[in-house]
Amino acid sequence: MNRYSNTKTTMSKDGKRVYGTTYYPDIPLSDSDQLMMTIVGSRLDVIANTFYGDQTFWWVIAKANGIKGKTALAPGKKLRIPGNITSIIQKFRELNNLS
């Protein structure tokens, strides 16, 4: 899946594709959240696939833990894995006017 598949695009006057801003919802603490410790080789996409069955939800874990600009994680980092992914995805769709 292309990382820009949920980002709206327009065409500039000179015919170049221009990507819009993608908005991500705040992810509050929940009783359904889980905690895990990273190990050597931990990556957000692999963790998302393990917990959600979909590697493209890596951003949910990143947003919940304040991780920016990296997918590989140092070992020994405690991560919060949000449990209610359905409501998070719904909020994402609402923020970005996606159906």
Side-chain angles (χ1 to χ4, degrees):
M1 175 181 234
N2 183 329
R3 68 186 259 187
Y4 297 107
S5 62
N6 288 319
T7 303
K8 295 190 182 235
T9 60
T10 57
M11 296 302 279
S12 67
K13 291 179 182 178
D14 59 355
K16 294 182 181 177
R17 185 181 318 180
V18 177
Y19 291 97
T21 301
T22 301
Y23 299 98
Y24 296 95
D26 290 329
I27 303 176
L29 290 172
S30 170
D31 289 338
S32 63
D33 293 351
Q34 297 180 48
L35 296 176
M36 69 159 287
M37 294 292 283
T38 59
I39 59 172
V40 173
S42 291
R43 291 188 355 221
L44 291 173
D45 58 339
V46 174
I47 296 168
N49 193 55
T50 300
F51 283 89
Y52 305 132
D54 189 335
Q55 65 193 17
T56 63
F57 292 147
W58 63 268
W59 62 267
V60 174
I61 300 167
K63 179 72 175 172
N65 291 280
I67 299 170
K68 296 180 182 180
K70 57 184 170 184
T71 57
L73 305 169
K77 179 172 179 53
K78 187 188 303 187
L79 291 180
R80 177 173 67 99
I81 311 298
N84 192 353
I85 190 82
T86 305
S87 67
I88 295 168
I89 299 305
Q90 180 60 34
K91 287 177 187 175
F92 174 84
R93 292 183 181 282
E94 289 170 6
L95 284 171
N96 293 286
N97 298 318
L98 302 172
S99 55

